[in-house]
Amino acid sequence: EEFDWFRCLLKNLDSFTTSAKRCLTVSFLKKVFESLIQHFLSPKYCDKLSKDLSKSMLRKCIKFSRWTACKKIFFTALWGNLLFSASCFVYDVAVYMTSPRIKSDSTLQSLLNGMVWMTRKTSFYGLSLVSSSLGFAVGAYFNVSVVAPLCSGLFDMA
């Protein structure tokens, strides 16, 4: 029997639409945050917050010793992922605040539930930010001997 693409599409359309909305909105929010930091912050912080992590990691692996590169990559990844995490957090807060259950119930219990939810989300995004940065750093520490020789000529071509 032949696979029915149309039936599969209809079955998964809701989850795809939700994921696509989230993806587009988070990308849009990240670009808005980038334009805001360019307008309000100094160039030093703009550079830190809008850095291309992969190029920066490769440069650090080539330039520094393994342990120094690892430490520098951790902080670079922390700064570099901050706007994305903030965009995801703002999206989640907006979705939570516009959910029907919030509009229908404005009691003290609803307020407490909202505070618990906000604490959980803040902890989740903070932990994910730190763990992704740690993952970048640990990956660079163990792969620096492989990555650096392969990519040493990459920046000479530009």
Side-chain angles (χ1 to χ4, degrees):
E1 184 177 320
E2 207 171 302
F3 184 73
D4 188 4
W5 288 99
F6 188 69
R7 188 169 18 125
C8 182
L9 176 70
L10 288 177
K11 185 174 108 179
N12 297 312
L13 190 61
D14 287 339
S15 63
F16 172 76
T17 306
T18 304
S19 296
K21 282 184 208 175
R22 179 184 174 86
C23 202
L24 289 172
T25 307
V26 166
S27 298
F28 175 75
L29 284 171
K30 185 176 179 208
K31 291 296 180 188
V32 167
F33 287 156
E34 285 176 359
S35 66
L36 287 174
I37 63 166
Q38 287 176 354
H39 186 69
F40 290 108
L41 297 179
S42 69
K44 175 186 173 184
Y45 291 107
C46 291
D47 182 50
K48 283 183 174 189
L49 289 168
S50 59
K51 189 171 284 212
D52 182 2
L53 294 178
S54 58
K55 288 181 182 178
S56 181
M57 281 179 57
L58 290 175
R59 281 194 301 267
K60 284 176 176 51
C61 287
I62 293 167
K63 189 175 180 180
F64 298 107
S65 69
R66 187 181 279 197
W67 180 244
T68 306
C70 180
K71 288 191 293 188
K72 288 183 176 288
I73 286 169
F74 175 78
F75 290 108
T76 300
L78 196 67
W79 279 98
N81 287 326
L82 189 63
L83 286 182
F84 177 73
S85 295
S87 302
C88 291
F89 180 74
V90 167
Y91 176 83
D92 285 344
V93 168
V95 167
Y96 182 77
M97 296 304 281
T98 58
S99 69
R101 66 181 174 163
I102 294 297
K103 290 180 180 177
S104 66
D105 187 23
S106 60
T107 62
L108 181 61
Q109 184 62 38
S110 177
L111 180 65
L112 291 175
N113 289 343
M115 290 173 62
V116 167
W117 180 88
M118 189 73 75
T119 304
R120 286 181 181 163
K121 278 295 178 182
T122 305
S123 303
F124 170 76
Y125 281 116
L127 185 61
S128 67
L129 184 63
V130 170
S131 62
S132 67
S133 302
L134 188 60
F136 273 111
V138 169
Y141 181 79
F142 288 112
N143 292 325
V144 73
S145 59
V146 175
V147 172
L150 292 176
C151 300
S152 61
L154 183 67
F155 301 105
D156 298 332
M157 292 185 264

